[in-house]
Amino acid sequence: MRLLLLAAAALPTLAALAPTTALAWGGTAHAVIDRAAIEAIPDSGPTFLRRHVDYIAGSASLPDGWRGDSEPFSKMEEDPNHGWFKEQFAFLKPIPRSRHEFVLALYKHYEAIKDKDPATAARTNVRWTGTLPYAAMESYERLIACMRQFRALQTAGKDTSFSEQHCAFQVIRLGHYIGDGAQPLHDSVNSDGWRGDNPNGYTRDRTIHGRFESEFVDGIGLTVKDIAPRIGAPGHRDGDMFSAVLAFLDDASSRMEQVYVLEKRDGFANFKDKDVREMVYAQTAGGAEMLRDMICRAWAESASKPQPLTPSPLDPANPAYNPETGSAPAQVGA
């Protein structure tokens, strides 16, 4: 069981989680990522979120509480949202712009290989591939809709307090998924110990995940001050956000093996290890920067009046309509 120091009292269901469940970054780093992101919002951004920074940071681990075995419907939906094990779907190019199309593609591949490669097929399913970028985009678009409501209420001179709280909740969700994605072990099948051929003798001990993201992070006493200077000016002001999220996950994934290299030294027991500290600082700062950028981009998007799509995504006349899902997937730049 990994240490979840922050908000543990508010999340009693976490205690019931199986020991092998990956809870990325632990409470400390998730809270630091969220707080650093909010503090980095420029004055031209959604500054009302600053009033809710304690709520957002204090609830940063909330989505992990939706993964308990005692809540099976919630667990089945939520578990995949915290990982993106890209080796499992290397066959899938491009990545579908629809959660449902992604799941269907996995199943079709499973059907194609289940007899000739049953071992690979056994892990070719949504739980062992993850759905993190879809969860992030869903939260991001809900944040846009919420911010649009905030703007309307503000313009009408009406109370915005409830709307602000709704937006803060969506930031909590978005922040958790982006924070998870910044942790390299959440972007690989090697999430909890090295799998498959192991010529470099990396650990197969499942506790590597918690020793890195929770015990080491808590041991060095990670704070916002450690990463705030590393957060640059707002970016991702234009371009396709789904592609940006996938690129963000690819970048974090590229650092996965380095985590194992560092673990071979002393199992993350030396809190003074500068290289491990640098890995933690770089990845949490990257997560905070991406979260800040997505929050600010959502704010900018919310200033525009939503344009209905014709034909509707649900209309079979839409050229991108997929009868298997009953909808057209999101379009690039949409």
Side-chain angles (χ1 to χ4, degrees), residues 75-107:
K75 181 178 180 64
M76 185 180 297
E77 171 70 17
E78 187 62 27
D79 253 354
N81 290 340
H82 298 248
W84 189 237
F85 304 154
K86 57 186 300 182
E87 300 94 335
Q88 292 292 112
F89 48 88
F91 65 89
L92 191 55
K93 296 178 181 179
I95 301 298
R97 299 178 63 82
S98 158
R99 177 192 285 264
H100 299 304
E101 289 192 4
F102 177 72
V103 174
L104 284 169
L106 294 177
Y107 181 70

Side-chain angles (χ1 to χ4, degrees), residues 2-5 23-29 183 208-220 271:
R2 300 191 174 93
L3 301 177
L4 294 175
L5 299 182
L23 304 177
W25 280 132
T28 300
Q183 212 277 50
I208 181 178
H209 199 116
R211 285 187 284 115
F212 171 61
E213 70 179 23
S214 291
E215 294 177 24
F216 189 86
V217 168
D218 292 336
I220 66 175
F271 298 142

Side-chain angles (χ1 to χ4, degrees), residues 199-203 258-268:
N200 296 311
Y202 297 137
T203 185
Q258 184 61 20
V259 176
Y260 278 86
V261 171
L262 294 173
E263 191 277 340
K264 288 186 71 173
R265 292 181 181 178
D266 50 26
F268 303 128

Side-chain angles (χ1 to χ4, degrees), residues 186-207:
H186 269 255
D187 305 306
S188 169
V189 294
N190 301 306
S191 175
D192 299 277
W194 195 263
R195 297 182 60 84
D197 295 338
N198 192 8
N200 296 311
Y202 297 137
T203 185
R204 296 187 187 275
D205 184 351
R206 293 181 64 86
T207 67

Side-chain angles (χ1 to χ4, degrees), residues 187-299:
D187 305 306
S188 169
V189 294
N190 301 306
S191 175
D192 299 277
W194 195 263
R195 297 182 60 84
D197 295 338
N198 192 8
N200 296 311
Y202 297 137
T203 185
R204 296 187 187 275
D205 184 351
R206 293 181 64 86
T207 67
I208 181 178
H209 199 116
R211 285 187 284 115
F212 171 61
E213 70 179 23
S214 291
E215 294 177 24
F216 189 86
V217 168
D218 292 336
I220 66 175
L222 181 71
T223 68
V224 172
K225 291 181 180 179
D226 294 322
I227 68 172
R230 296 168 176 258
I231 300 174
H236 298 102
R237 293 179 180 272
D238 50 32
D240 180 64
M241 186 53 75
F242 184 64
S243 296
V245 170
L246 292 178
F248 168 75
L249 297 176
D250 285 346
D251 181 73
S253 176
S254 71
R255 293 165 171 75
M256 176 275 297
E257 188 169 356
Q258 184 61 20
V259 176
Y260 278 86
V261 171
L262 294 173
E263 191 277 340
K264 288 186 71 173
R265 292 181 181 178
D266 50 26
F268 303 128
N270 177 14
F271 298 142
K272 295 182 180 180
D273 189 313
K274 294 182 179 179
D275 294 328
V276 185
R277 280 177 172 260
E278 175 59 27
M279 175 71 76
V280 169
Y281 295 153
Q283 294 311 116
T284 51
E289 182 171 300
M290 185 66 180
L291 176 58
R292 186 276 317 276
D293 287 356
M294 293 184 77
I295 291 171
C296 290
R297 174 71 175 273
W299 178 245

